[in-house]
Amino acid sequence: MRMRPTLSWTPAEDLPPGTTDLEPVIDALSAGGALVLSGAGISTESGIPDYRGEGGSLSRHTPMTYQDFTASAQARRRYWARSHLGWRSFGRARPNAGHRAVAAFARSGLLSGVITQNVDGLHQAAGSEDVVELHGTLTRVVCLSCGAFSPRRELARRLEEANPGFEPVAAGINPDGDADLTDEQVGGFRVVPCTACGGTLKPDVVFFGENVPPQRVEQCRELVRAATSLLVLGSSLTVMSGLRFVRQASEAGKPVLIINRDPTRGDRHSLTRVALPLGTALTTVADRLGIPVDDQAAVRPVSPT
């Protein structure tokens, strides 16, 4: 499956307005077997901006494409300078009430699984297990030549050693962990090669324009087939990589419930869209279901070292 570099979406039809009624979500979770599909919106309350919501990063930042990254050494220098700086801030983010509520639903046996479009690791930091990271993770890097994987913390150490004194001030941090830096701030940042073969290193995330691994797509399809309902949390569903699972669930007659403050590309396939902040909505649902949300998970960072 190829992730198209779709950066925006405009509804071609009138969509029903969002609601504040959480009863359909409560009913779906009460039945058990719900599958969660989360997007960048669930992490905004952890200080990580989303792409397309109000003040989203796409208003000031165009994500790196796979084609640009592989074709240009300068593009890789710019990416790694910005990502190296962003990683320091990214790793300090803590899971918020929304992440903790999802973990609590899973512990209570109400979920059949979690698929996330995010690369921040916050679901796992909140205690969710067996999370399918549709677009990969920033905690690993991969060599494009030999295929070797290595920890991001190891690369961070090597980049620190190769670029002593690199301390620019970023204008902002984006959902992909990329910091906003000017070309002047990037300067002569030094990129380091794979220690095994000297090849090009890339974060183990799916860039715009890159293929999601087919086996991962099939794993997600199987989760949709096994689920009783699909609960979409904080995703505009602009890119097909997530929207296709909404369509699959809808075509199979399974209820799709969306919690997102803005309209989404999947609204016409959904039973309802709840236009509330995710933390508020999910903690309210947990309270109504009598499920405690573990606040202790909030102290677990996604450590960059």
Side-chain angles (χ1 to χ4, degrees), residues 252-267:
K254 300 181 181 189
V256 176
L257 307 103
I258 299 173
I259 305 180
N260 200 67
R261 297 188 71 167
D262 299 316
T264 83
R265 198 176 173 190
D267 282 7

Side-chain angles (χ1 to χ4, degrees), residues 75-154:
R76 292 192 291 275
R77 176 181 295 109
R78 184 171 61 251
Y79 174 82
W80 278 120
R82 293 162 57 140
S83 185
H84 178 57
L85 183 65
W87 175 243
R88 299 173 185 171
S89 298
F90 214 69
R92 290 194 291 269
R94 266 53 170 190
N96 62 53
H99 297 109
R100 300 196 303 274
V102 170
F105 297 150
R107 286 194 300 272
S108 298
L110 304 184
L111 301 184
S112 62
V114 176
I115 301 169
T116 185
Q117 296 172 282
N118 300 338
V119 296
D120 54 35
L122 290 175
H123 277 300
Q124 295 92 322
S128 291
E129 299 178 352
D130 300 322
V131 178
V132 179
E133 295 173 306
L134 184 62
H135 296 158
T137 175
L138 282 175
T139 63
R140 286 192 306 270
V141 294
V142 59
C143 176
L144 295 180
S145 297
C146 70
F149 291 95
S150 55
R152 179 64 181 265
R153 64 178 180 273
E154 178 184 311

Side-chain angles (χ1 to χ4, degrees), residues 3 36-42 51-52 114-120 123 131-137 175-176 205-206 232-246:
M3 263 188 67
V36 164
L37 171 63
S38 71
I42 199 171
Y51 284 112
R52 299 173 180 85
V114 176
I115 301 169
T116 185
Q117 296 172 282
N118 300 338
V119 296
D120 54 35
H123 277 300
V131 178
V132 179
E133 295 173 306
L134 184 62
H135 296 158
T137 175
D176 52 6
V205 300
V206 178
V232 180
L233 306 177
S235 177
S236 67
L237 299 168
T238 297
V239 295
M240 187 59 66
S241 61
L243 180 62
R244 67 190 303 145
F245 303 124
V246 169

Side-chain angles (χ1 to χ4, degrees), residues 272-293:
T272 186
R273 177 177 63 85
V274 179
L276 289 173
L278 274 164
T280 299
L282 293 179
T283 52
T284 298
V285 169
D287 182 65
R288 296 273 293 276
L289 291 171
I291 296 173
V293 175

Side-chain angles (χ1 to χ4, degrees), residues 186-224:
V186 170
F189 186 86
R190 293 184 58 198
V191 177
V192 297
C194 172
T195 56
C197 73
T200 297
L201 294 176
K202 172 186 168 294
D204 188 25
V205 300
V206 178
F207 283 177
F208 282 90
E210 187 177 4
N211 291 328
V212 176
Q215 66 273 21
R216 194 179 301 162
V217 175
E218 181 53 34
Q219 182 182 8
C220 293
R221 285 189 181 279
E222 181 55 38
L223 286 172
V224 175

